[in-house]
Amino acid sequence: MATRGHPAIGRRVQCRVSLRGQRCKERQLFPRILPCLHTFCADCIRQLEPFSAPGAARGERRPATVLCPQCDAEVELPAAGADGLSTDHLALDEVFRESLLRGGGVPCDLCGEGDAGRRCEVCCVNLCEFCSQAHRRQKRTSSHSIQSVQDLKAQGRLSRPVLCSLHPGQELRLFCETCDQPVCLECSATFHREHHCCPTHDVIDGHGDSIRELVTRGLRPRLGRLEEALRTVELSQDALQARSEALAGEVRAFARSYASVVEAHCCGLLQRLEDLRLQRRNQLHLQRAQLQQALADVRGGVDFAERLLTCGSDAEILSAKGVTLRRLTSLLQSSYDPHHATTVLDDGHSVCFLPLENAGQVEGFPVVGVVHAKTTDPSRCTVQGEGVQNGREGQQGQFTLVCRDSAGEQMARGGDAVLVTIVHKDRKDCMVETTVADSGDGSYAVSYTPVVPGSYSVLVCVKAQHVKGSPFTLSVKKKLRRHGGIFHCCSFCSSGGAKEAQCGCPGTMPGGFQGCGHGHKGHPGKPHWSCCGSAVEASECLLSTARMVLGSPHGRLRTVEL
C-alpha cells in the first residue's frame, strides 16, 4: 500500500471557506470533495450561496450550482446537497493524526471508554490496554501486529479504516463492479447479493490505472506546457517593458536636439508609445490570467489525483474514483491546452521608432519622427501559387504565404508564427506534413508531398488566426500514368510493315493490317502514342480510359477493317 504523510495533506486539515468575512477554523470532521477536487467541510459547503436556484417544481429536488471558494469553478452539487458529495478520507486521516500530535487522547474503538495506547495495524483500530490484551487472546486476531500509538505517531503511519455509512463498524473491503462503488460484507450480502463483488485489493490495479493513465499521458504533459507558456508570457511582459523603456530613451535623445516646438512633439511621441505599451500589456495580462487559471485547474486535478494514488488506501481510491475521473476527463477535454504558435515570445520588436519619418506639423512647424507599430494582420495576408489548389500524388507541391500589415503592405521582415495544416476532407486521420521556410522578407515558402489523392483542407494561420481565404481546398490527383508504347508516326512505319502491329488510335489500313498508316482512314494526321493514341508527347497515358470506353481486350482501341 502507498505510504502516508503526503506534504499537501497538512495544508488541507482546516477548512478554507471564507464565510461572512471570517475564515472557518473548525476541524474538518466531515470533509467533502467538490467536483473540482477541492475539499471543504460539509457545514461550510451548505452555507455557500448558490447562483442557480435549486428551485423545485412540484416538490422536485434539483441540484444547485455554487462557486468553489478556492478556484471559482462552477460546480454542481448533487440533489442531496453536501451530504451527497464523496468523503475525503485522506483529510479524515490527517485530522486524526493532527489530533494525536497535539496531545489529545484517542478513545478505544472497541469499548469506547479507555484511552487508546495501542493500535492493530491489520484491523486499523485503536485499542486500550484491556482490549489490546483481549485482541491478542482471540484466536482470529492473535497473529495481528499491535504497536504503540506513540511509535506510530512518530512514523506518520496512523490512519482510520473506511467504514460503511449504512452498517457502522463494517469496513469497505469489497468493490461492487455492477454499481461501481466500494461496499462492506453486509451490503454485499443484502443490497448487492446478485451483483459481482470482489475484494478491493483485486480490483485496485485496474481502477487505479485509469486515473494514472489520465494523469501520466494526458494532464502531466499539459501541466508542463502550461507552465512553459506562462513563463513565456511573463518573459514577454518583461521584454515589452524593457523595449518600451529603450524606445522612450531613444525618443528623448532625438527630441533634445530640437527647440521648444520639438519638445512638444516629443511629449506626443511618448504618449503614443505609452498607449501602445498599455494596449499590448493589457493583452498579455489577459493571456496570463487565462493561462494561470488553466494551470491552476490542471495542477489542482493532477495534485489531487497523484496524492490519492500515492497516499490513499484501496477503499479511499475507489471512493473518490468517480469524481476524480470525471474531473480529470473534463480537464483533459475542455481545459485550455496552449499551442506554441499562440505563446511565442513577443519582445516588442513590432513597435519601432522612425526618426526621419514625416510627422506633420506641430504649432505650424514641420517635425519628423513617429512611433510605428507595424504588425502583421492575418486578415490581410495572402496565399499565392497553384500548389494551394492543385497537387499530384507523390509529387511535391508549393505555394507562398505573404504576410501584410493592416494597410495591405507586405511586411519587410519575417519571424511571424506561421502554422500550416493540410487535412484530408474525407479521412480526418490523413494529414500531410508541411514545411514552412521563412524568407526573411515577409514571405514564407510552404512545401508538401501528398501520398493519398483526394480533396484536402489547407489551413493557413498566422498568430493562431486564419489568413484571408483560409481554409483553402486542395485537389490532389492520382499519380501521372506513364505511356507503355512508343511515340510514332504510324504502326506501318514503326513496325517495318508488320501486319499484326496494332495502335491505340482509330486508324485502319486495308490488306489485313491491324494498325494505322499514313493517309488511311482514322489516322490522326500527326505523331501519336501507340499505347493510347494521344497526340501529345508530354501527356498522361489514356490507356485505362480507352479500356473503359471501348473495352479492348488488348489494351488498345479496336480497329475497323475496310
Side-chain angles (χ1 to χ4, degrees), residues 512-531:
F513 288 90
Q514 300 182 23
C516 61
H518 287 294
H520 291 278
K521 183 178 179 179
H523 189 273
K526 60 180 72 173
H528 54 277
W529 285 99
S530 63
C531 52

Side-chain angles (χ1 to χ4, degrees), residues 311-355:
C311 305
S313 65
D314 297 348
E316 290 168 348
I317 296 175
L318 295 173
S319 296
K321 177 184 74 71
V323 64
T324 304
L325 287 177
R326 285 192 297 271
R327 177 59 174 171
L328 296 182
T329 303
S330 174
L331 288 174
L332 194 59
Q333 294 175 351
S334 61
S335 180
Y336 176 60
D337 190 0
H339 192 277
H340 69 89
T342 65
T343 55
V344 64
L345 180 64
D346 184 359
D347 58 0
H349 274 81
S350 60
V351 182
C352 58
F353 175 60
L354 305 178

Side-chain angles (χ1 to χ4, degrees), residues 1-5 89-90 92-97 100 106 109 119-126 149 152-153 156-162 171 311-313 316:
M1 196 59 223
T3 59
R4 303 198 175 257
H89 294 285
L90 295 179
L92 281 176
D93 292 344
E94 185 66 18
V95 171
F96 176 60
R97 277 198 297 274
L100 292 179
V106 179
D109 290 334
R119 179 178 177 82
C120 177
E121 291 199 300
V122 179
C123 302
C124 294
V125 294
N126 302 312
V149 171
L152 294 177
K153 282 197 301 184
R157 296 169 52 192
L158 286 172
S159 64
R160 306 183 69 178
V162 181
E171 187 174 356
C311 305
S313 65
E316 290 168 348

Side-chain angles (χ1 to χ4, degrees), residues 239-253 273 353:
L240 176 66
Q241 181 64 29
R243 179 65 175 171
S244 299
E245 293 175 356
L247 287 176
E250 185 179 347
V251 170
R252 292 189 182 94
L273 179 61
F353 175 60

